[in-house]
Amino acid sequence: MRFVKAKIFIFIVLFLFLFFFSNDFGLIDIEKTAIVTALALDKDSSGEYEYEITAQIAVPEASVKNNENQKAQISGKGNTVGAAIKNIGDSSGWFPKLSFCNVIILGSGLLDTNVIKVLDYFSKTLRVQDSALVVQSETTGREILEKSTPLDNLSSFALQKILFKNPGFDMDIAEIDIKTFCSGYYSHSGSSFMPIVKEIG
Protein backbone atom coordinates (compact mmCIF):
# COMPACT_ATOMS: atom_id res chain seq x y z
CA MET A 1 0.00 0.00 0.00
CA ARG A 2 2.87 2.32 0.87
CA PHE A 3 4.51 1.53 -2.49
CA VAL A 4 1.30 2.47 -4.41
CA LYS A 5 1.07 5.83 -2.60
CA ALA A 6 4.70 6.59 -3.49
CA LYS A 7 4.01 5.77 -7.14
CA ILE A 8 0.98 8.08 -7.20
CA PHE A 9 2.97 10.88 -5.55
CA ILE A 10 5.84 10.54 -8.05
CA PHE A 11 3.36 10.50 -10.95
CA ILE A 12 1.69 13.73 -9.72
CA VAL A 13 5.07 15.46 -9.30
CA LEU A 14 6.17 14.43 -12.81
CA PHE A 15 2.82 15.56 -14.22
CA LEU A 16 3.20 19.01 -12.61
CA PHE A 17 6.81 19.32 -13.78
CA LEU A 18 5.66 18.47 -17.33
CA PHE A 19 3.21 21.41 -17.27
CA PHE A 20 5.69 23.74 -15.58
CA PHE A 21 8.51 23.26 -18.08
CA SER A 22 6.46 22.88 -21.28
CA ASN A 23 3.92 25.74 -21.05
CA ASP A 24 3.96 29.38 -20.04
CA PHE A 25 0.21 29.22 -19.30
CA GLY A 26 -0.61 31.90 -21.86
CA LEU A 27 1.39 34.66 -20.22
CA ILE A 28 1.98 37.68 -22.43
CA ASP A 29 5.14 39.71 -22.28
CA ILE A 30 4.27 43.16 -20.90
CA GLU A 31 6.71 44.77 -23.32
CA LYS A 32 4.65 43.44 -26.24
CA THR A 33 1.27 44.43 -24.80
CA ALA A 34 -0.61 47.52 -26.02
CA ILE A 35 -3.04 48.91 -23.43
CA VAL A 36 -6.04 50.06 -25.45
CA THR A 37 -8.00 52.90 -23.81
CA ALA A 38 -10.57 53.46 -26.58
CA LEU A 39 -11.70 52.00 -29.89
CA ALA A 40 -13.09 53.90 -32.88
CA LEU A 41 -15.09 51.88 -35.41
CA ASP A 42 -15.57 53.22 -38.94
CA LYS A 43 -16.46 51.92 -42.36
CA ASP A 44 -13.39 51.29 -44.49
CA SER A 45 -13.08 54.27 -46.81
CA SER A 46 -11.23 52.26 -49.46
CA GLY A 47 -14.09 49.77 -49.76
CA GLU A 48 -11.69 46.82 -49.72
CA TYR A 49 -12.78 45.74 -46.25
CA GLU A 50 -15.92 46.17 -44.20
CA TYR A 51 -14.50 47.86 -41.09
CA GLU A 52 -11.59 50.04 -40.04
CA ILE A 53 -10.88 50.07 -36.31
CA THR A 54 -8.59 52.58 -34.66
CA ALA A 55 -7.24 51.81 -31.20
CA GLN A 56 -5.92 54.54 -28.92
CA ILE A 57 -3.02 53.14 -26.93
CA ALA A 58 -1.45 54.54 -23.79
CA VAL A 59 2.31 54.62 -24.25
CA PRO A 60 4.14 55.11 -20.93
CA GLU A 61 7.37 57.09 -20.98
CA ALA A 62 10.01 56.32 -18.39
CA SER A 63 11.20 59.83 -17.67
CA VAL A 64 11.80 61.87 -14.55
CA LYS A 65 10.59 65.10 -16.18
CA ASN A 66 7.55 63.69 -17.98
CA ASN A 67 5.06 61.58 -16.04
CA GLU A 68 2.30 61.74 -18.66
CA ASN A 69 1.22 58.92 -20.93
CA GLN A 70 1.75 59.68 -24.60
CA LYS A 71 -0.96 58.56 -27.01
CA ALA A 72 -0.68 56.54 -30.15
CA GLN A 73 -3.27 55.36 -32.64
CA ILE A 74 -3.02 52.10 -34.54
CA SER A 75 -5.56 51.12 -37.20
CA GLY A 76 -6.56 47.74 -38.52
CA LYS A 77 -8.96 46.64 -41.26
CA GLY A 78 -11.07 43.55 -41.68
CA ASN A 79 -14.41 42.19 -42.84
CA THR A 80 -15.39 41.52 -39.23
CA VAL A 81 -14.68 43.42 -36.03
CA GLY A 82 -12.61 40.55 -34.67
CA ALA A 83 -10.53 40.37 -37.85
CA ALA A 84 -9.87 44.13 -37.75
CA ILE A 85 -8.71 43.94 -34.11
CA LYS A 86 -6.49 40.97 -34.98
CA ASN A 87 -5.08 43.01 -37.87
CA ILE A 88 -4.06 45.71 -35.35
CA GLY A 89 -1.93 43.15 -33.52
CA ASP A 90 -0.56 41.63 -36.72
CA SER A 91 0.49 44.96 -38.21
CA SER A 92 1.98 46.41 -35.01
CA GLY A 93 3.48 43.31 -33.40
CA TRP A 94 1.81 44.27 -30.10
CA PHE A 95 -0.97 42.31 -28.42
CA PRO A 96 -3.99 44.65 -28.04
CA LYS A 97 -5.14 44.41 -24.41
CA LEU A 98 -8.81 45.46 -24.39
CA SER A 99 -9.48 45.05 -20.65
CA PHE A 100 -8.94 48.78 -20.06
CA CYS A 101 -11.03 49.93 -23.03
CA ASN A 102 -13.87 52.01 -21.55
CA VAL A 103 -15.12 53.88 -24.65
CA ILE A 104 -16.25 52.57 -28.05
CA ILE A 105 -16.89 55.25 -30.67
CA LEU A 106 -19.06 54.47 -33.68
CA GLY A 107 -18.29 56.59 -36.74
CA SER A 108 -21.03 58.26 -38.75
CA GLY A 109 -20.59 55.78 -41.61
CA LEU A 110 -21.84 52.90 -39.46
CA LEU A 111 -25.00 54.58 -38.24
CA ASP A 112 -27.00 53.81 -41.39
CA THR A 113 -26.19 50.10 -41.01
CA ASN A 114 -27.32 47.51 -38.49
CA VAL A 115 -25.23 48.64 -35.50
CA ILE A 116 -25.84 45.45 -33.54
CA LYS A 117 -23.67 43.57 -36.08
CA VAL A 118 -20.78 45.75 -34.95
CA LEU A 119 -21.44 45.68 -31.21
CA ASP A 120 -22.34 41.99 -31.11
CA TYR A 121 -18.63 41.13 -30.98
CA PHE A 122 -18.13 43.26 -27.86
CA SER A 123 -21.21 41.88 -26.12
CA LYS A 124 -20.01 38.29 -26.55
CA THR A 125 -16.28 38.58 -25.98
CA LEU A 126 -14.75 38.52 -22.51
CA ARG A 127 -11.86 40.75 -23.61
CA VAL A 128 -13.90 43.97 -23.28
CA GLN A 129 -15.81 45.05 -20.19
CA ASP A 130 -19.62 45.08 -20.41
CA SER A 131 -19.48 48.52 -18.80
CA ALA A 132 -17.60 50.10 -21.75
CA LEU A 133 -19.59 53.11 -22.96
CA VAL A 134 -20.88 53.32 -26.52
CA VAL A 135 -21.04 56.73 -28.23
CA GLN A 136 -21.65 57.84 -31.78
CA SER A 137 -19.67 60.45 -33.65
CA GLU A 138 -20.93 63.02 -36.14
CA THR A 139 -17.64 62.52 -37.99
CA THR A 140 -15.42 59.48 -38.12
CA GLY A 141 -14.47 57.89 -34.82
CA ARG A 142 -10.82 58.18 -35.75
CA GLU A 143 -11.09 62.00 -35.83
CA ILE A 144 -12.42 62.02 -32.27
CA LEU A 145 -9.46 59.97 -31.03
CA GLU A 146 -7.00 62.27 -32.80
CA LYS A 147 -8.34 65.35 -31.01
CA SER A 148 -6.24 66.74 -28.19
CA THR A 149 -7.56 68.49 -25.10
CA PRO A 150 -5.75 71.01 -22.92
CA LEU A 151 -6.29 69.08 -19.66
CA ASP A 152 -6.03 65.44 -20.74
CA ASN A 153 -3.29 64.01 -22.88
CA LEU A 154 -5.50 61.12 -24.01
CA SER A 155 -8.75 62.07 -25.72
CA SER A 156 -10.35 58.87 -24.43
CA PHE A 157 -9.78 60.03 -20.85
CA ALA A 158 -11.45 63.36 -21.67
CA LEU A 159 -14.43 61.46 -23.10
CA GLN A 160 -14.67 59.31 -20.00
CA LYS A 161 -14.73 62.39 -17.78
CA ILE A 162 -17.56 63.83 -19.85
CA LEU A 163 -19.56 60.61 -19.86
CA PHE A 164 -18.82 59.29 -16.36
CA LYS A 165 -20.20 62.02 -14.14
CA ASN A 166 -19.18 61.99 -10.48
CA PRO A 167 -21.74 62.66 -7.74
CA GLY A 168 -22.42 66.40 -7.55
CA PHE A 169 -22.18 66.98 -11.32
CA ASP A 170 -25.24 67.57 -13.49
CA MET A 171 -26.18 64.38 -15.31
CA ASP A 172 -26.88 65.86 -18.74
CA ILE A 173 -25.77 62.80 -20.74
CA ALA A 174 -27.49 59.44 -20.83
CA GLU A 175 -24.92 56.70 -20.30
CA ILE A 176 -25.21 53.68 -22.56
CA ASP A 177 -22.86 50.75 -22.10
CA ILE A 178 -22.51 47.66 -24.27
CA LYS A 179 -24.68 45.46 -22.06
CA THR A 180 -27.52 48.01 -21.84
CA PHE A 181 -27.39 48.82 -25.54
CA CYS A 182 -27.52 45.20 -26.71
CA SER A 183 -30.30 44.21 -24.31
CA GLY A 184 -32.24 47.37 -25.20
CA TYR A 185 -31.72 46.77 -28.91
CA TYR A 186 -33.26 43.32 -28.84
CA SER A 187 -36.13 44.24 -26.52
CA HIS A 188 -37.08 47.55 -28.23
CA SER A 189 -36.27 46.75 -31.88
CA GLY A 190 -33.23 48.96 -32.13
CA SER A 191 -34.53 52.03 -30.32
CA SER A 192 -31.57 52.33 -27.94
CA PHE A 193 -30.11 55.80 -27.60
CA MET A 194 -26.42 56.59 -27.82
CA PRO A 195 -24.76 59.85 -26.81
CA ILE A 196 -23.50 61.88 -29.78
CA VAL A 197 -19.96 63.23 -29.66
CA LYS A 198 -19.55 66.34 -31.83
CA GLU A 199 -16.16 67.53 -30.68
CA ILE A 200 -13.95 67.47 -27.63
CA GLY A 201 -11.32 69.90 -26.58
Side-chain angles (χ1 to χ4, degrees), residues 5-46:
K5 286 183 179 179
K7 268 188 171 181
I8 293 172
F9 178 75
I10 291 172
F11 178 75
I12 291 173
V13 169
L14 290 175
F15 186 72
L16 291 175
F17 268 104
L18 178 69
F19 272 104
F20 183 80
F21 289 113
S22 64
N23 192 3
D24 61 355
F25 300 98
L27 293 177
I28 299 166
D29 190 357
I30 191 68
E31 293 179 356
K32 297 178 182 176
T33 302
I35 298 175
V36 177
T37 59
L39 286 174
L41 285 71
D42 298 298
K43 284 192 77 68
D44 182 23
S45 56
S46 66

Side-chain angles (χ1 to χ4, degrees), residues 144-164:
I144 296 294
L145 289 184
E146 289 174 349
K147 294 282 184 180
S148 58
T149 61
L151 298 178
D152 293 288
N153 198 32
L154 292 174
S155 55
S156 61
F157 291 168
L159 269 175
Q160 289 177 45
K161 287 179 182 176
I162 294 169
L163 297 170
F164 288 118

Side-chain angles (χ1 to χ4, degrees), residues 26 41-42 53 66 75 81 85 87 111 113 127 137 166 175 184 199 201:
L41 285 71
D42 298 298
I53 295 181
N66 188 8
S75 295
V81 174
I85 292 174
N87 183 249
L111 300 180
T113 62
R127 296 177 62 191
S137 170
N166 292 325
E175 295 179 7
E199 188 175 349

